[in-house]
Amino acid sequence: MPQIQAAADLVRSRFGSIDYDLAVILGSGFDAASSGEVLGELPFGDLPGVPAAPVPGHSGRLLCLRVRDRRVLAFAGRFHCYQGLSARQAAFPVRLAKALAVDRLLITSAVGGISREMTPGTFVLLRDHLNLLGDNPLAGEVPPRFVDLSRLYRQDVFDCLAAVAGPAGINLQRGVLAALPGPSYETPAEIEMLRRLGADVVSMSMVPEAIMAAACGLQVVGLALVTNLAAGLTAASLDHREVLAAGASASGPFGQLFEALLENWCSF
Ligand code: NOS
């Protein structure tokens, strides 16, 4: 905790004492900086207590953005369990956002599509998740422990997203995420198992952050981008470079959804 406070102090000293409307964690290939003006920038490596270096496709920077009249704290990059971190360490950005008094968190990620409608390019508002990481960010340390996750992901933003998605020709769905530890992609048999368990999409992230956000009392929206069909659903091999390319090519639509979300969610 002292390190989180030290990190928050550093962010305040660099960006000023800002009242953020929203924090966003940007997954592989996601870019929010292009939606707004960058007011401040800080490499993750400068933050006390930062758990690891960024992985390819993640720039590893904390940004202070102005998007229209909103202030956004953007984590351009995230921490994953497959970097050898605990789920608690992976949730570092959420604890930092909490220490900076942020109360709304948007979590984004590239995901593999499992259900028939989850084709590459589809955006998915998370309805729920299956935590198959074998770890929980609330394990081990101070309470709260027994946090209610029955309404973890906000659903009332769907209409404002759909209002933008329809006319813009953006495919928007709702779905359940399965989070696996990775870093290998899944086998076709594992994907079939996940489908039978009720998962629509699969990734190696988001869940530690979402659970920590619930424990910290932050409102959470999960927005995923299907970058590939999951293993066994396509003849093509899975490749992280293609995940990054698919993310980059969806940056225009993501910007539109992000602005709609900022406008509506922040005025609820
Ligand atoms: N990601 C995926 N994770 C699991 N299975 C998939 O099919 C998939 N597609 C995208 C790997 O490319 C990175 O993107 C996400 C994972 O969370 C991982 O960070």
Side-chain angles (χ1 to χ4, degrees):
M1 204 57 190
Q3 281 195 314
I4 296 285
Q5 287 307 337
D9 289 344
L10 181 78
V11 174
R12 274 190 289 262
S13 76
R14 298 272 185 97
F15 295 172
S17 286
I18 292 179
D19 201 3
Y20 298 100
D21 294 288
L22 178 87
V24 56
I25 300 175
L26 297 162
S28 300
F30 279 85
D31 176 19
S34 54
S35 309
E37 183 191 348
V38 179
L39 302 179
E41 189 171 335
L42 178 58
F44 283 172
D46 288 4
L47 294 168
V50 73
V55 297
H58 289 263
S59 71
R61 287 172 306 147
L62 184 59
L63 303 172
C64 174
L65 301 176
R66 175 164 54 207
V67 184
R68 307 236 174 106
D69 56 343
R70 305 289 186 194
R71 294 291 187 281
V72 176
L73 182 69
F75 292 85
R78 62 149 50 88
F79 306 100
H80 305 81
C81 294
Y82 63 68
Q83 294 170 268
L85 306 176
S86 66
R88 187 175 188 86
Q89 289 174 307
F92 171 84
V94 182
R95 296 168 71 208
L96 179 55
K98 173 69 180 173
L100 291 165
V102 177
D103 59 8
R104 293 184 197 89
L105 178 69
L106 170 64
I107 309 174
T108 66
S109 173
V111 295
I114 300 177
S115 306
R116 189 186 302 272
E117 61 277 19
M118 302 297 176
T119 50
T122 303
F123 282 89
V124 188
L125 182 73
L126 296 195
R127 263 195 304 122
D128 206 342
H129 73 227
L130 299 169
N131 179 7
L132 302 173
L133 294 171
D135 194 4
N136 187 298
L138 308 184
E141 294 203 27
V142 286
R145 288 203 171 108
F146 304 116
V147 172
D148 177 31
L149 303 182
S150 12
R151 283 169 298 275
L152 177 48
Y153 298 98
R154 277 193 90 108
Q155 297 301 299
D156 54 0
V157 297
F158 184 80
D159 290 348
C160 80
L161 293 175
V164 168
I170 300 170
N171 187 2
L172 176 71
Q173 303 280 341
R174 283 188 224 238
V176 174
L177 168 79
L180 268 71
S184 61
Y185 291 110
E186 302 70 36
T187 63
E190 286 165 346
I191 292 299
E192 175 58 17
M193 171 188 76
L194 296 177
R195 191 185 65 72
R196 292 188 198 197
L197 291 176
D200 299 299
V201 291
V202 57
S203 89
M204 306 168 195
S205 65
M206 294 177 109
V207 162
E209 298 148 357
I211 295 175
M212 181 59 83
C216 293
L218 274 67
Q219 302 175 37
V220 186
V221 169
L223 186 64
L225 170 68
V226 180
T227 51
N228 56 281
L229 294 178
L233 303 180
T234 162
S237 305
L238 301 190
D239 185 331
H240 186 55
R241 285 167 303 189
E242 282 168 26
V243 168
L244 297 181
S249 67
S251 71
F254 173 66
Q256 287 172 277
L257 295 176
F258 182 58
E259 284 182 35
L261 195 62
L262 260 182
E263 203 44 52
N264 289 273
W265 185 16
C266 300
S267 41
F268 283 171

